[in-house]
Amino acid sequence: IIKDNIALQVFRTWFEPIKAVHWSDNVVVIQVPSQFFCEWIEEHYYALLRKSVMQVFGAHAKLQYQVVVNKNGASPQDRSITLTAFRGAPKQNVQQSSLPFAPVNQKYSYPNYLNPRYTFENFVRGESNQLAASAAQAVAENPGKTRFNPLCIYGDSGLGKTHLIQAVGNYILHNHPGLKVYYTNSERFTIDYVNAIQNNKVNEFANFYRNVDVLIVDDIQFFSGKEKTQDNFFHTFNALHQIGRQIILSSDKPPKDLIGVDDRLLSRFRWGLTADIQQPEYETRLAILQKKSQDEGFDLPGDVAEFLARHISSNVRELEGALISLLAKVSLDNRSMSIDLAREIARGSINAKKINAAPELILKET
């Protein structure tokens, strides 16, 4: 689950070294190489890690880190210390009900699934995302009062769609505290709907979603083929749009190109503004590297930043993953920041030089 939600380079740096130790009494224990390691994970991947643990082990599962401090100890207790995971997290992020639409005393509680790190301040603008970013800012300042309703942002994976739509939600929560903002994705919407059917709470489900002021739905392409879920979302969309509530969507392709989604739903997705995010150009990639390195407290040399920006061009997620791996090797392995280290990090991402090769040569080399 974690591997599917982060860059491969990030996964290899921060999650592959983790070893599962044991599971008992609703507690899963994992071994990490150092205390710095678990603190970095807690700071940067708290929400994803907690969501994954709860999804696999259950809502009441607890996670503990076993930190190796003495490799010469006779027993695991002598070699390591145990730290509790999910320490000092905001209260709203800790509570996660499987049925968030079940009212308590007839009042709905909207869990905050937004990542607080996803803000407009942390989003680097460039030619590749200018329209989408400007539209998102306009919607955030006047939710439901612009012509951009719904606002649908599309683009390939790893270009910043989730960052941008969550930035809208975080901005509204901060500047319009009276509004109810709910961020979800097509998978969670489907799961909520199935839970509602199983628990005879379809009416509560409908009322829950139709009482929000701002509904943000990520990855709508995964509605494909789910006819009953699409039908329910169609009615939810209509109900919210008719009373002027803001709807924000994201997809990996333009709504008109979505396969397996009802035409009447696709037509509504195109009512407002559809804006794309393209692969970032060199200048934007360079600005992203400089911004992210400053946020992490590192001074990235210009030649290293330029090398990474020129050779990693596919998406922002891969670029950030390379930067994190670079910083990790400098911090944990005491490597010097250099072009050689950057080349080592980017080796798997550098575009290979195209050559003309006959099929016989390819077969021989393979």
Side-chain angles (χ1 to χ4, degrees):
I1 295 171
I2 292 172
K3 188 176 183 179
D4 288 342
N5 284 275
I6 58 177
L8 181 60
Q9 196 71 47
V10 177
F11 180 80
R12 288 173 175 170
T13 302
W14 297 106
F15 289 94
E16 275 194 355
I18 293 175
K19 297 179 181 178
V21 179
H22 64 81
W23 156 260
S24 63
D25 298 327
N26 230 28
V27 177
V28 58
V29 180
I30 59 176
Q31 186 181 90
V32 295
S34 68
Q35 186 167 343
F36 172 80
F37 210 92
C38 67
E39 289 175 353
W40 180 284
I41 293 174
E42 284 276 292
E43 180 181 353
H44 294 84
Y45 303 105
Y46 168 89
L48 176 60
L49 185 60
R50 181 169 182 80
K51 175 184 175 182
S52 302
V53 168
M54 294 178 70
Q55 184 172 337
V56 174
F57 295 100
H60 302 291
K62 297 180 181 179
L63 179 68
Q64 290 183 348
Y65 301 108
Q66 187 181 90
V67 183
V68 177
V69 293
N70 179 14
K71 295 183 179 180
N72 298 320
S75 66
Q77 290 74 22
D78 295 331
R79 295 194 302 266
S80 61
I81 59 173
T82 301
L83 299 176
T84 303
F86 313 131
R87 305 180 301 278
K91 186 176 181 181
Q92 65 267 27
N93 286 338
V94 174
Q95 299 172 342
Q96 181 172 339
S97 170
S98 59
L99 295 173
F101 48 85
V104 179
N105 297 327
Q106 303 304 313
K107 292 184 179 180
Y108 294 102
S109 174
Y110 290 92
N112 183 359
Y113 294 119
L114 295 169
N115 186 333
R117 293 172 61 86
Y118 289 161
T119 65
F120 287 120
E121 290 75 18
N122 291 334
F123 188 83
V124 178
R125 295 194 183 196
E127 291 184 12
S128 58
N129 58 37
Q130 186 61 45
L131 175 60
S134 297
Q137 186 76 55
V139 166
E141 293 173 355
N142 294 287
K145 298 178 181 179
T146 70
R147 295 182 180 181
F148 311 147
N149 196 15
L151 171 63
C152 184
I153 297 174
Y154 72 91
D156 291 336
S157 177
L159 297 181
K161 301 185 301 296
T162 297
H163 184 146
L164 198 53
I165 63 176
Q166 289 203 33
V168 176
N170 282 316
Y171 184 95
I172 294 173
L173 284 177
H174 184 265
N175 294 279
H176 305 277
L179 298 183
K180 296 186 289 290
V181 179
Y182 188 63
Y183 167 82
T184 187
N185 54 42
S186 56
E187 179 188 11
R188 188 185 295 137
F189 184 92
T190 302
I191 292 173
D192 283 354
Y193 182 52
V194 171
N195 285 337
I197 295 174
Q198 292 175 343
N199 291 276
N200 296 317
K201 293 185 179 293
V202 175
N203 289 335
E204 287 88 342
F205 171 86
N207 291 332
F208 173 83
Y209 275 92
R210 297 175 194 184
N211 271 279
V212 299
D213 296 297
V214 180
L215 177 62
I216 306 173
V217 185
D218 211 349
D219 293 326
I220 59 173
Q221 71 270 12
F222 294 121
F223 279 140
S224 176
K226 301 170 182 174
E227 297 179 2
K228 291 296 184 181
T229 301
Q230 289 182 40
D231 185 62
N232 192 282
F233 187 71
F234 171 80
H235 294 296
T236 299
F237 185 103
N238 282 345
L240 292 174
H241 196 275
Q242 287 174 4
I243 57 177
R245 305 291 173 82
Q246 182 67 51
I247 302 169
I248 304 170
L249 311 169
S250 82
S251 173
D252 64 353
K253 56 177 66 70
K256 64 182 180 64
D257 294 338
L258 292 175
I259 300 173
V261 179
D262 195 301
D263 288 341
R264 61 178 182 168
L265 201 52
L266 293 179
S267 68
R268 279 155 177 78
F269 291 164
R270 298 195 294 266
W271 275 356
L273 175 68
T274 300
D276 70 326
I277 297 181
Q278 301 174 358
Q279 288 187 355
E281 64 282 358
Y282 167 75
E283 291 79 8
T284 301
R285 297 196 299 270
L286 187 59
I288 290 172
L289 285 171
Q290 293 171 340
K291 170 66 176 174
K292 296 299 181 181
S293 61
Q294 290 173 2
D295 291 344
E296 299 299 341
F298 280 83
D299 184 17
L300 193 64
D303 57 343
V304 174
E306 290 174 6
F307 179 87
L308 292 176
R310 288 193 183 282
H311 291 90
I312 302 179
S313 58
S314 56
N315 61 58
V316 176
R317 187 176 295 153
E318 189 172 356
L319 192 66
E320 291 181 352
L323 176 63
I324 291 174
S325 297
L326 183 70
L327 301 182
K329 286 186 177 295
V330 172
S331 299
L332 302 178
D333 297 343
N334 295 319
R335 300 282 297 276
S336 60
M337 188 79 74
S338 64
I339 288 289
D340 289 338
L341 182 58
R343 185 177 290 108
E344 178 183 327
I345 293 295
R347 184 179 298 130
S349 303
I350 294 177
N351 297 326
K353 181 180 179 181
K354 293 183 179 180
I355 61 172
N356 294 320
E360 293 79 13
L361 176 59
I362 295 174
L363 286 171
K364 175 179 177 296
E365 293 298 326
T366 303

